[in-house]
Amino acid sequence: MNVTNKAQILRQGEHCNFIAFIHEGSFRFYYDKDGEEKIIAFNFEGDFITNYRSFLTGKPSDHFIEAMQDAVIYKINLQELNSLYDKHKNIERLGRLIAENLYLMVASRLDSFMFQTPEERYKALIERNSRLLQEVPQYMVASYLGVKPETLSRIRARK
Amino acid sequence: MNVTNKAQILRQGEHCNFIAFIHEGSFRFYYDKDGEEKIIAFNFEGDFITNYRSFLTGKPSDHFIEAMQDAVIYKINLQELNSLYDKHKNIERLGRLIAENLYLMVASRLDSFMFQTPEERYKALIERNSRLLQEVPQYMVASYLGVKPETLSRIRARK
DNA sequence: GCAGGTCGTTGACTAGAGTCAATAAATCTT
DNA sequence: AAGATTTATTGACTCTAGTCAACGACCTGC
């Protein structure tokens, strides 16, 4: 499935009935708080992208998923997946592995918010994914790190 | 399996090779940062308790799991579970459901750290689990909320 | 080129959590 | 019950991120 830059493959208020696998391109997962975009995650080639909470609980999504470039993804639909679960027992393992994978991602992000300062998060990010800083506007990185753009600017100015 | 108050069913440095189900009692999941205990979670009857990251990745645990009262738990061992996965395909579903369940817990905790102030987290906690505040010393609640005991004391003094 | 945006930086100030210290209250111990 | 220890509160001060505003750099389209 082709997705053009800035297309929203999930909107606030919709139920997320898919898990997508990113073949090409990148996405941001964010929500809109009074006009201010709060970025929860960036996702790249090889990642799964979904609002897993909405997917699992059936509740409407609070978040948007938006392409940051033209992209190619493969979607697995909730209903399809459930019927696959019932028909082919091996697929359960896939579901389990996806859940485990997503767990590890969110758990490490929780760690970074519980135990690191914004400055430490920033340094860890450039360590882990310096490419992100080239490709993504700085105000989005700031949001991802949980600080205001002014603050990220000041963190960068510290030596 | 019986566990006495303050017993540590998982210690820092050990690989967590189990998932436990709490039949009776309560536990805290924490780690020790330079002598200061940082509490990640409290768990009660009906909850699963494990260092799921260590369990999944095989890496040593950074955390302790400690009983806060005498307790009764049922443990599922990693090796057992893996062999069950292979022998009985239906067990995969159990593994998936556990993973999904743990995902939702950690995701909502991440939300609270990304988007709420300590005061809002405190209010949400008394809303959700006022019982906790009776049973657990306040300095542990402070740690769980990600603030110092002095700060929690001041939050409580605000009206 | 120029006008209008957006983005990033910088400054002055505010607000809230951390730190350190003193004290009060609650809880073990014996 | 008395003393000792732990836990909770309060005060004074510091440090860091937020807020608001100004400004410059870089775009874009006309």
Side-chain angles (χ1 to χ4, degrees):
Chain A
M1 177 179 169
N2 290 305
V3 180
T4 56
N5 187 16
K6 297 196 178 163
Q8 294 175 333
I9 61 172
L10 177 70
R11 285 187 195 77
Q12 208 164 39
E14 295 175 357
H15 170 230
C16 180
N17 70 345
F18 65 86
I19 296 175
F21 178 81
I22 304 176
H23 179 242
E24 269 180 51
S26 56
F27 290 82
R28 65 198 178 107
F29 182 68
Y30 69 95
Y31 91 112
D32 188 293
K33 184 172 190 173
D34 315 321
E36 194 188 0
E37 294 176 0
K38 303 272 198 174
I39 296 177
I40 286 90
F42 296 109
N43 292 91
F44 301 94
E45 292 176 16
D47 291 342
F48 289 106
I49 177 129
T50 174
N51 182 337
Y52 200 43
R53 185 193 334 236
S54 170
F55 183 83
L56 293 177
T57 63
K59 290 180 187 163
S61 174
D62 292 328
H63 305 85
F64 295 86
I65 299 177
E66 187 178 299
M68 299 196 296
Q69 320 162 14
D70 291 348
V72 180
I73 62 176
Y74 303 108
K75 274 189 179 180
I76 312 168
N77 179 279
L78 174 62
Q79 287 75 30
E80 284 163 18
L81 191 63
N82 277 331
S83 82
L84 285 173
Y85 282 158
D86 289 333
K87 279 197 202 114
H88 307 286
K89 295 298 183 185
N90 288 335
I91 303 291
E92 286 281 355
R93 177 158 299 186
L94 175 67
R96 173 170 67 84
L97 294 173
I98 290 173
E100 290 176 356
N101 182 285
L102 291 170
Y103 174 90
L104 292 174
M105 282 180 49
V106 66
S108 78
R109 189 137 166 80
L110 174 60
D111 267 8
S112 75
F113 271 83
M114 286 187 74
F115 304 125
Q116 293 186 304
T117 62
E119 179 163 0
E120 287 168 338
R121 282 200 292 281
Y122 173 70
K123 285 181 176 164
L125 179 64
I126 56 181
E127 199 68 30
R128 185 171 80 245
N129 192 352
S130 60
R131 179 184 140 212
L132 187 85
L133 303 169
Q134 322 309 323
E135 297 181 4
V136 170
Q138 194 168 307
Y139 72 92
M140 285 190 191
V141 176
S143 172
Y144 176 75
L145 293 172
V147 296
K148 300 287 155 186
E150 295 94 324
T151 299
L152 178 54
S153 182
R154 289 186 174 106
I155 288 172
R156 285 160 52 83
R158 291 176 201 160
K159 276 276 167 15
Chain B
M1 178 179 171
N2 289 305
V3 181
T4 58
N5 187 17
K6 297 198 180 164
Q8 294 174 332
I9 61 173
L10 177 70
R11 284 188 196 75
Q12 207 165 39
E14 294 175 358
H15 170 229
C16 180
N17 69 345
F18 65 87
I19 296 174
F21 178 81
I22 305 174
H23 179 241
E24 269 180 51
S26 57
F27 291 82
R28 66 199 177 106
F29 181 69
Y30 69 95
Y31 91 112
D32 189 292
K33 184 171 190 174
D34 315 321
E36 193 188 0
E37 294 177 358
K38 303 272 195 173
I39 296 178
I40 287 89
F42 297 109
N43 291 276
F44 301 93
E45 294 177 15
D47 290 343
F48 288 106
I49 177 131
T50 176
N51 182 337
Y52 200 43
R53 187 194 334 238
S54 170
F55 182 83
L56 292 178
T57 63
K59 290 181 186 162
S61 175
D62 292 329
H63 305 86
F64 295 87
I65 298 177
E66 188 177 299
M68 299 197 297
Q69 321 160 15
D70 290 350
V72 182
I73 61 174
Y74 303 109
K75 274 188 181 182
I76 312 167
N77 180 278
L78 173 63
Q79 288 75 30
E80 284 164 19
L81 191 62
N82 277 331
S83 82
L84 285 174
Y85 281 158
D86 288 334
K87 279 197 202 112
H88 307 285
K89 294 300 183 185
N90 289 335
I91 303 291
E92 287 280 356
R93 178 160 299 188
L94 175 67
R96 174 170 66 86
L97 293 173
I98 291 172
E100 290 176 356
N101 183 287
L102 292 170
Y103 174 90
L104 291 174
M105 282 180 49
V106 66
S108 78
R109 190 138 165 78
L110 174 59
D111 266 8
S112 76
F113 271 82
M114 286 187 73
F115 303 124
Q116 293 186 302
T117 62
E119 179 163 359
E120 289 168 338
R121 283 200 291 282
Y122 173 70
K123 286 183 176 164
L125 180 64
I126 55 182
E127 199 67 30
R128 184 171 81 245
N129 192 353
S130 59
R131 179 184 142 214
L132 186 86
L133 303 169
Q134 322 307 324
E135 297 179 3
V136 170
Q138 194 168 308
Y139 72 92
M140 285 190 191
V141 176
S143 173
Y144 175 74
L145 293 173
V147 297
K148 300 288 156 186
E150 295 94 323
T151 299
L152 178 55
S153 182
R154 290 185 174 106
I155 288 172
R156 285 159 51 82
R158 291 176 201 161
K159 274 281 165 11

